[in-house]
Amino acid sequence: MELFYHPLSRYSQKVLIALYEKQANFYPRIIDLRDPFSRKEFHQTYPQARVPLLKTHDELLVPESSIIIEYLDRHFNNSTQLLPQEPQRNLQVRLFDRIIDNDINNPLFQLEKLKHTEDSNEFEIKQLEKQLLIQFQRLDTQLTQHHWVCGDSFTLADCALIPCLSYSFQHLNLLDLDEVVRYWQQAQLRGAWMLVQEEVLLAEMEETAGIRGIP
């Protein structure tokens, strides 16, 4: 398999966590969509030119982070089960995956862009921060009853949430949310995330100053 991704993309990190949890072998293909040459080359493989993208051994192109992880869960079933087979739990995991992507990760991307815009709208920034805090308060309540987002086992929902937390703790006041703090502490010890972090740190070192905003 080949994974087209960028280490600083949170949606790419989400898929990387799943790949490492699955202990799946893959060939990494780092794509920088800000580079015209890299973007043009990737466009020839995938006209939508969006990362992450998984190319399977039989040449199937699988886009979208959640769909990629579902594909991995179906084809690598001798390791961490990221989508529970029990229908009710499966539905809950899918629900929180969508909530985290749509109501946390995407607003975080908007917040990053605004904070790095010279004429940024302070009111808009405050509104986004307020919306994000509401979502994290909801998660804090959820985590009072669960070790991971949707229970005692690590799932797709955790793959989605963990990449959002580093930036969130840096730019939002989350320290009063005891369960979210506890969750972040345990997440940082998860082997799959530690491997992703190694790539993130290396990519950050290579980044030129002022280049930001990869969702």
Side-chain angles (χ1 to χ4, degrees), residues 6-17 51-52 65 100-101 104-113 159-168 193 196 200 213-215:
H6 193 284
L8 299 184
S9 155
R10 283 189 292 271
Y11 284 120
S12 293
Q13 293 168 21
K14 174 181 172 180
V15 171
L16 285 171
I17 292 172
V51 294
S65 60
I100 293 162
D101 278 0
I104 294 181
N105 197 5
N106 291 344
L108 278 175
F109 177 54
Q110 296 174 34
L111 186 63
E112 285 174 287
K113 286 206 302 184
C159 295
L161 178 59
I162 291 171
C164 299
L165 292 177
S166 181
Y167 186 84
S168 297
W193 176 241
V196 174
V200 171
I214 301 175

Side-chain angles (χ1 to χ4, degrees), residues 40-56:
K40 182 179 179 181
E41 186 179 32
F42 183 46
H43 188 270
Q44 294 173 353
T45 300
Y46 185 56
Q48 288 87 339
R50 292 177 60 185
V51 294
L53 175 76
L54 185 72
K55 185 177 182 180
T56 69

Side-chain angles (χ1 to χ4, degrees), residues 128-163:
L128 278 171
E129 290 175 342
K130 182 179 179 181
Q131 292 169 22
L132 284 162
L133 280 172
I134 289 171
Q135 294 303 323
F136 277 112
Q137 287 163 357
R138 178 180 182 179
L139 275 171
D140 196 65
T141 301
Q142 171 77 1
L143 289 166
T144 59
Q145 303 171 13
H146 301 290
H147 185 66
W148 296 104
V149 173
C150 293
D152 292 333
S153 58
F154 192 93
T155 67
L156 165 67
D158 300 290
C159 295
L161 178 59
I162 291 171

Side-chain angles (χ1 to χ4, degrees), residues 116-131:
H116 291 90
T117 302
E118 289 185 6
D119 56 346
S120 59
N121 187 321
E122 284 298 322
F123 176 77
E124 194 173 353
I125 288 174
K126 293 298 182 185
Q127 286 296 105
L128 278 171
E129 290 175 342
K130 182 179 179 181
Q131 292 169 22

Side-chain angles (χ1 to χ4, degrees), residues 10 12 27 51 58 74-75 113 157 173 194 210:
R10 283 189 292 271
S12 293
Y27 183 79
V51 294
D58 55 357
R74 289 182 179 182
H75 289 80
K113 286 206 302 184
N173 183 18
M194 292 172 73

